[in-house]
Amino acid sequence: MPLRAAVLALLLAVPAARVSGQPAGSRQVFSAGLDAVNVTVAVRDERGRLVSDLKRGDFVVREDGRPQEVL
């Protein structure tokens, strides 16, 4: 679920829980995950010109040292 959708789901769920008869002051637990992150990259050559012919395979994205899939 994209982060924006997770935040929207949280904003919609919290008021709904209050209306549903849940006692005020009771503890609510929210958990969310993130499946994808948008990464914007600009690459310049040694003269400072933008390089525009790069493909997905030209990049390696790592999380905690582990390569991640570039979609």
Side-chain angles (χ1 to χ4, degrees):
M1 176 185 300
L3 181 59
R4 190 177 301 167
V7 171
L8 179 59
L10 173 63
L11 293 175
L12 294 175
V14 171
R18 298 255 182 216
V19 173
S20 69
Q22 190 173 19
S26 67
R27 183 175 175 163
Q28 296 179 7
V29 177
F30 175 76
S31 175
L34 186 61
D35 295 324
V37 175
N38 289 328
V39 178
T40 302
V41 178
V43 178
R44 296 184 180 269
D45 66 12
E46 61 279 347
R47 292 185 173 163
R49 296 175 299 198
L50 288 173
V51 178
S52 61
D53 60 346
L54 297 172
K55 310 269 187 287
R56 287 182 193 154
D58 295 327
F59 295 91
V60 175
V61 177
R62 297 181 187 275
E63 179 180 10
D64 297 328
R66 294 183 308 250
Q68 301 296 308
E69 181 180 7
V70 177
L71 304 173

